[in-house]
Amino acid sequence: NQTIGEENYRLFLLFLLIHAGMLWYGTIVTTFIFYSESERLGLNTATFYDSKGNLLKTSRKVGIQYMMQRYTALVSLWVVMFVLALVLTGFVLFHTYLIYNGMTTNEFYKWKAVRKWHAQASTKYALYVGKRAKENATTSNQSSKGSGVSQGYLVPEDVDIGCVGPTLSSKSIPVDESKIDVPKDPGVLPEDFPYNLGSFRKNLHEVLFPRCFRERDRDAQETSAFRKHD
């Protein structure tokens, strides 16, 4: 159980590349073995009689069935190698994408969660802004029709204001928005990752020659020079 990090990430990539290459090599070689065996047995031009005595030519489907029955173990091995070759190739491509963007696997999934949150927060904030704009437009229309406004809340037209101001009802009591969970603008989601150096070549160089090794070599050189100076 070895943790994959800055110091051994290049070895992990080498491990994936070697095994993916070996699996594709085994798949291709096994495919040529099947082809050569098919040519040796003449499966492409062979003929046979069916149960009714009719002379039929061998189709590709019949040839494959014959090879599966005669070389069951080798066909099973070919299927396993082909499937694993696809899986490891996809894994290599995924890590190539991570190197291109200057990310680790952990950062990839965290940024994925952040994007999901940002999309939900942006949608929620846009709906809130649209709702407030609609409410403000409704309030403005009611005010333009002659409604009185006093002390920061809307006074219905059928309320007797009198000498001491309007008598508040449950519909005219203002709402304290500080106690409401008001959606906040999530802002713009940054598109550039902090460790992306701007090109695949530079990011790959950081993987093949990790910064920790360069700093360690530099510290060793400085220590050696200091000892020589003493």
Side-chain angles (χ1 to χ4, degrees):
N1 296 327
Q2 179 71 36
T3 303
I4 305 302
E6 182 181 11
E7 295 186 3
N8 59 358
Y9 185 46
R10 54 183 180 175
L11 301 178
F12 175 69
L13 292 178
L14 181 62
F15 168 83
L16 291 179
L17 289 173
I18 290 176
H19 282 75
M22 291 176 61
L23 288 169
W24 280 118
Y25 173 78
T27 302
I28 294 173
V29 169
T30 308
T31 302
F32 278 109
I33 291 175
F34 289 147
Y35 179 78
S36 62
E37 187 67 10
S38 175
E39 291 291 327
R40 186 183 68 84
L41 297 175
L43 296 180
N44 296 328
T45 58
T47 57
F48 64 96
Y49 292 94
D50 61 6
S51 58
K52 297 181 181 181
N54 299 321
L55 182 63
L56 301 176
K57 291 184 178 180
T58 304
S59 62
R60 181 176 298 180
K61 181 179 179 180
V62 174
I64 293 176
Q65 291 177 349
Y66 174 81
M67 298 295 289
M68 292 178 64
Q69 292 178 358
R70 183 169 181 177
Y71 304 103
T72 304
L74 193 58
V75 171
S76 301
L77 179 62
W78 181 91
V79 172
V80 171
M81 289 191 298
F82 179 70
V83 172
L84 290 179
L86 290 177
V87 172
L88 286 186
T89 300
F91 208 24
V92 170
L93 293 177
F94 171 69
H95 281 279
T96 303
Y97 170 80
L98 294 180
I99 296 174
Y100 179 79
N101 290 282
M103 289 190 300
T104 62
T105 308
N106 185 30
E107 291 170 342
F108 171 79
Y109 286 105
K110 286 184 177 180
W111 274 104
K112 185 178 180 180
V114 168
R115 291 192 188 97
K116 182 179 180 180
W117 168 86
H118 186 270
Q120 295 175 350
S122 299
T123 302
K124 188 176 181 180
Y125 180 74
L127 293 174
Y128 171 76
V129 171
K131 182 179 179 181
R132 288 303 304 269
K134 186 177 180 180
E135 291 176 353
N136 293 335
T138 304
T139 303
S140 299
N141 293 335
Q142 292 178 352
S143 299
S144 62
K145 292 180 181 179
S147 300
V149 178
S150 175
Q151 298 181 4
Y153 52 83
L154 181 64
V155 180
E157 296 180 356
D158 57 350
V159 173
D160 184 13
I161 296 180
C163 299
V164 295
T167 303
L168 297 179
S169 63
S170 60
K171 296 182 179 181
S172 60
I173 297 177
V175 178
D176 187 5
E177 294 187 355
S178 62
K179 299 181 180 180
I180 302 178
D181 185 15
V182 179
K184 296 182 180 180
D185 185 5
V188 180
L189 182 67
E191 297 182 358
D192 294 332
F193 303 107
Y195 300 108
N196 188 2
L197 300 181
S199 68
F200 178 76
R201 182 181 62 83
K202 293 181 179 179
N203 292 337
L204 183 61
H205 182 271
E206 287 294 317
V207 173
L208 299 180
F209 305 98
R211 188 173 303 176
C212 61
F213 287 163
R214 299 200 302 269
E215 293 177 352
R216 189 180 304 171
D217 293 340
R218 183 185 60 190
D219 294 340
Q221 292 177 0
E222 291 178 354
T223 303
S224 177
F226 179 77
R227 291 177 178 177
K228 290 181 180 179
H229 180 71
D230 291 343

